[in-house]
Amino acid sequence: MNIFIILGMGAAVGFLSGMFGVGGGFLITPLLIFYNIPPIVAVATGANQVVASSISGAITHFRRGSLDIKLGTVLLVGGLLGATAGIWLFALLRRLGQLDLVISLLYVVLLGVVGVLMLFESVNALRRAAKNQPVNLRKPGHHNWVHGLPLKMRFKKSKIYLSVIPVVVLGFAIGVLTSIMGVGGGFIMVPAMIYLLRIPTNVVVGTSLFQIIFVTAYTTVMQAATNNSVDIVLAFILMVAGVIGAQYGVRVGQRLRGEQLRALLALLVLAVGLRLAVDLVVTPEDFYSIVSAGTGR
Amino acid sequence: MMRLARTLLAALALASAAPVLAQEDKRPEITERLEIGISTDEIAISSDFRGADLTIFGAIEGYDPNLLAQRKYDIVVALEGPKDDLTVRRKERVLGIWVNRRSMTFELAPESYSLSSTRNVDDIAPAAVLNSIGVGLQHIRLDPIGYIGDGSNISEFRDAFRRLKETGGFYQRDPGGVQFISASLFKATVRLPANVPNGTHVVRAHLFRDGVFISEKALPLRVVKTGLEQMISNAAYANPVSYGILAVILAALTGWIASIVFRKD
């Protein structure tokens, strides 16, 4: 393992995450897999790295008070349950020898869907901008089926009266993704909170970061305890390079236009997903592999 | 040095002479025994280890001088790594993607195996003899556990196992690695691979007389990896929960310090 390649990887992903305002976990884990780090280590180490990259962002939101602690706690309850289920599933898939495959497949599906959606959205926005059409924003407070669910709770900070069921389910789904894929899951949680739960945008990022920090921290400890798969040195190099890279990314990002940025990120996401898909389809050099049960350790 | 070794071995021979004599009436044909010695029972390996040779000295005792002169004695020395249940998996194409489908687990197979002998092991003794004592890369004991169906694919998985172990450098052989340095004193060289597994290895020496297995002698050898890398890895296994908590604290500190250093307001 070359320390400079790892540093470069961390800095590049940090730069991108600063530029696009994303956590970067969904890029770090595939990159580590491309660098022949075992997927089981890449996922656990990725989750650890997300703790560091989310905290500096979250501190800013805590200071400004732009988060809903009550909503975040409900999300977190779902997240911790989801992460626990995910860790269990992770260990089961490992025993069955299907872990690497499932991680790759999930990444191909997730990166493919997110990449295509982002690309369409940003291309449409670019077209609108070219024709000088006003952006067609959906009205907040507009209700959908989610708001007809029972067990409603009042979230004062968000000024919303909402059933806890969709919140816990969303948190749970993100928790599963965190433990199996090593991502924070912000890139799914933020759009879901805005478009599905209709939570005001000003608290969405801070609240999702609140959930992400605790779920990724919990996942890191659980991965270390059950699979011994956290590489503390690898994670530390990645997070130091990442937080520095992010600072430069933010500066560059402020100078570029949002739609172009999102189109670029979409292409990058699609490229990473495509590479993983190719690796699944190409005939392997060797059909056989050996794994040890680990009882001798 | 050589003389010292010889006196030592002579002393060993004297000490073990009595029981050998006592048995002589019942089984007069088997009197030969092996004695082996290594300079240490523990090897420390640093992170820049690139592989090394381990030399084992030994002697045949109670040998028949005529047979020795005719070179009828053969010695095979194996360094067996720590044992574990090892699973071989085979990928197959399912709906266009490569998926691990079939697998077979071998019970307590050595992680590494380095063989050294006076000549090619398959020329020393018949395959049946080698199989029964598990000596030789092709004869090592690989017993499948769990459901194996009709067992028709055992040899396929055994072959794949041995091939992967050999290409990975974990299993190796040296058919000229054992040399006689005097009439009955020999020297065996076994290779420690660069990625030698941590744990208790066993040096196992086998004596053959004219294709017949006569006696065996084993010595344990502990391989201990040293250095920061290994310390961290050991901690991950010894105290997994504290290790995980430490990883989170480290991440939290990194994020927090970054937010102070790069604070804009």
Side-chain angles (χ1 to χ4, degrees), chain A residues 11-291:
Chain A
V13 173
F15 183 83
L16 291 171
S17 65
M19 194 155 92
F20 298 118
V22 292
F26 68 100
L27 290 175
I28 278 279
T29 308
L31 281 181
L32 290 176
I33 293 172
F34 295 156
Y35 191 51
N36 281 333
I37 305 272
I40 179 169
V41 177
V43 165
T45 306
N48 191 10
Q49 193 267 345
V50 173
V51 177
S53 66
S54 309
I55 271 190
S56 45
I59 286 174
T60 319
H61 285 280
F62 290 159
R63 234 184 256 137
R64 287 192 206 139
S66 51
L67 84 164
D68 186 332
I69 297 251
K70 193 175 174 189
L71 181 65
T73 308
V74 177
L75 266 177
L76 181 57
V77 168
L80 294 180
L81 289 174
T84 308
I87 292 280
W88 176 82
L89 195 62
F90 194 88
L92 176 75
L93 288 168
R94 189 187 180 189
R95 268 204 307 284
L96 294 175
Q98 306 298 350
L99 181 63
D100 295 5
L101 174 75
V102 170
I103 291 172
S104 288
L105 275 178
L106 280 176
Y107 265 105
V108 169
V109 170
L110 197 75
L111 296 177
V113 169
V114 170
V116 167
L117 286 178
M118 275 176 67
L119 195 64
F120 269 109
E121 190 267 339
S122 53
V123 167
N124 280 338
L126 280 172
R127 269 204 209 127
R128 274 198 305 269
K131 289 180 191 164
N132 274 326
Q133 277 176 357
V135 183
N136 186 11
L137 277 178
R138 270 177 241 188
K139 303 238 170 3
H142 190 90
H143 284 216
N144 55 21
W145 59 272
V146 166
H147 296 83
L149 291 168
L151 286 171
K152 288 200 174 186
M153 200 185 249
R154 195 168 298 281
F155 299 101
K156 276 186 193 143
K157 181 85 195 178
S158 308
K159 298 184 184 79
I160 196 165
Y161 186 56
L162 185 68
S163 162
V164 294
I165 294 170
V167 182
V168 171
V169 167
L170 178 63
F172 185 90
I174 301 298
V176 172
L177 291 186
T178 300
S179 51
I180 298 185
M181 302 175 74
V183 296
F187 61 103
I188 296 175
M189 194 157 34
V190 170
M193 284 166 86
I194 294 173
Y195 297 115
L196 214 60
L197 305 182
R198 301 290 155 93
I199 292 160
T201 34
N202 60 327
V203 296
V204 161
V205 176
T207 308
S208 70
L209 280 173
F210 175 83
Q211 194 263 12
I212 287 170
I213 287 171
F214 290 103
V215 173
T216 50
Y218 173 75
T219 301
T220 305
V221 176
M222 288 298 283
Q223 285 282 19
T226 56
N227 296 309
N228 310 99
S229 50
V230 177
D231 187 326
I232 212 167
V233 179
L234 180 62
F236 187 65
I237 297 170
L238 285 174
M239 57 183 80
V240 169
V243 292
I244 296 169
Q247 301 304 319
Y248 293 94
V250 169
R251 276 172 223 177
V252 174
Q254 282 161 349
R255 271 185 245 133
L256 292 171
R257 280 174 56 196
E259 298 86 30
Q260 290 166 343
L261 269 185
R262 267 176 290 155
L264 272 177
L265 180 62
L267 289 175
L268 183 79
V269 163
L270 284 176
V272 172
L274 195 66
R275 166 74 202 272
L276 278 169
V278 167
D279 287 346
L280 285 175
V281 179
V282 164
T283 307
E285 274 176 45
D286 202 323
F287 300 134
Y288 298 91
S289 58
I290 301 180
V291 284

Side-chain angles (χ1 to χ4, degrees), chain B residues 4-253:
Chain B
L4 181 74
R6 249 179 248 184
T7 16
L8 248 172
L9 287 165
L12 281 169
L14 276 175
S16 56
V20 173
L21 282 172
Q23 280 183 346
E24 223 158 68
D25 317 315
K26 290 172 201 162
R27 300 162 70 188
E29 71 275 15
I30 299 177
T31 57
E32 297 94 332
R33 282 165 45 91
L34 269 183
E35 285 301 337
I36 54 170
I38 30 178
S39 57
T40 174
D41 59 358
E42 186 172 302
I43 295 181
I45 282 174
S46 57
S47 56
D48 58 351
F49 183 71
R50 292 281 169 271
D53 286 330
L54 177 74
T55 305
I56 296 138
F57 285 97
I60 312 174
E61 287 170 27
Y63 57 88
D64 182 326
N66 289 329
L67 291 175
L68 195 66
Q70 294 166 41
R71 295 185 163 272
K72 293 287 191 191
Y73 289 110
D74 278 298
I75 290 153
V76 179
V77 178
L79 177 67
E80 293 177 9
K83 291 182 174 177
D84 199 352
D85 291 349
L86 300 178
T87 304
V88 179
R89 295 205 171 107
R90 192 177 82 186
K91 278 195 164 72
E92 279 167 37
R93 197 161 222 164
V94 179
L95 301 171
I97 57 174
W98 290 91
V99 180
N100 282 328
R101 284 294 295 274
R102 279 166 230 277
S103 71
M104 189 175 285
T105 301
F106 296 113
E107 190 176 20
L108 297 178
E111 299 260 18
S112 65
Y113 187 78
S114 181
L115 194 77
S116 179
S117 49
T118 42
R119 57 199 168 111
N120 201 339
V121 282
D122 291 298
D123 300 334
I124 291 176
V129 173
L130 296 172
N131 283 337
S132 70
I133 53 174
V135 168
L137 260 59
Q138 297 303 317
H139 311 285
I140 208 165
R141 213 159 271 147
L142 292 174
D143 299 327
I145 45 176
Y147 178 72
I148 51 162
D150 61 354
S152 58
N153 49 8
I154 292 181
S155 64
E156 174 202 330
F157 279 95
R158 278 187 180 148
D159 289 345
F161 177 85
R162 284 189 280 252
R163 180 176 54 74
L164 284 168
K165 283 293 193 186
E166 276 189 78
T167 48
F170 290 102
Y171 281 22
Q172 16 191 318
R173 61 182 139 192
D174 180 1
V178 177
Q179 286 160 352
F180 281 97
I181 42 183
S182 79
S184 68
L185 203 61
F186 65 87
K187 179 183 93 167
T189 309
V190 288
R191 184 84 189 147
L192 287 171
N195 39 14
V196 59
N198 223 358
T200 304
H201 295 234
V202 178
V203 177
R204 213 180 278 282
H206 304 264
L207 177 66
F208 294 87
R209 185 186 60 202
D210 214 4
V212 180
F213 170 59
I214 302 285
S215 82
E216 180 190 323
K217 183 83 188 178
L219 282 178
L221 175 74
R222 294 212 315 133
V223 171
V224 182
K225 294 194 175 172
T226 59
L228 185 66
E229 237 170 279
Q230 193 60 34
M231 258 173 59
I232 294 171
S233 163
N234 289 345
Y237 283 93
N239 304 304
V241 175
S242 344
Y243 178 91
I245 293 171
L246 183 71
V248 169
I249 293 173
L250 206 60
L253 277 178

